[in-house]
Amino acid sequence: WPKSSPSAAAWIESVEAFKSDHAAMCKLVSEGDLYTPFPWGDGQTLLREALLVADHNAYHVGQLLTVRRALGVWHE
């Protein structure tokens, strides 16, 4: 954990980086072959990697919501 809270600018930069990465992954999924294993690795496919990204992101969205509720900044 960081020793101090990041600045508002750091938060915005992080959100923008997430959006950019999300857009890149969406493009890969919409234009790529979901089922053919990558030439590297042990049989992983784009579909498998996309599902891992979705699962990972869902977990962290849940963490963000939990923190917002704990801080009292949850809007009904």
Side-chain angles (χ1 to χ4, degrees):
W1 292 96
K3 293 183 189 233
S4 63
S5 297
S7 66
W11 174 256
I12 291 168
E13 182 180 333
S14 180
V15 170
E16 292 305 317
F18 173 84
K19 288 179 181 179
S20 175
D21 290 347
H22 178 74
M25 189 65 186
C26 288
K27 184 176 180 183
L28 279 173
V29 169
S30 67
E31 296 177 359
D33 178 355
L34 295 177
Y35 305 107
T36 301
F38 297 126
W40 58 89
D42 299 313
Q44 296 90 341
T45 64
L46 181 55
L47 177 60
R48 177 184 182 274
E49 298 306 309
L51 291 172
L52 285 172
V53 168
D55 183 59
H56 179 85
N57 288 348
Y59 174 79
H60 287 296
V61 167
Q63 287 182 315
L64 287 169
L65 294 177
T66 300
V67 168
R68 284 183 63 186
R69 284 183 174 167
L71 293 173
V73 292
W74 178 258
H75 303 287
E76 295 293 332

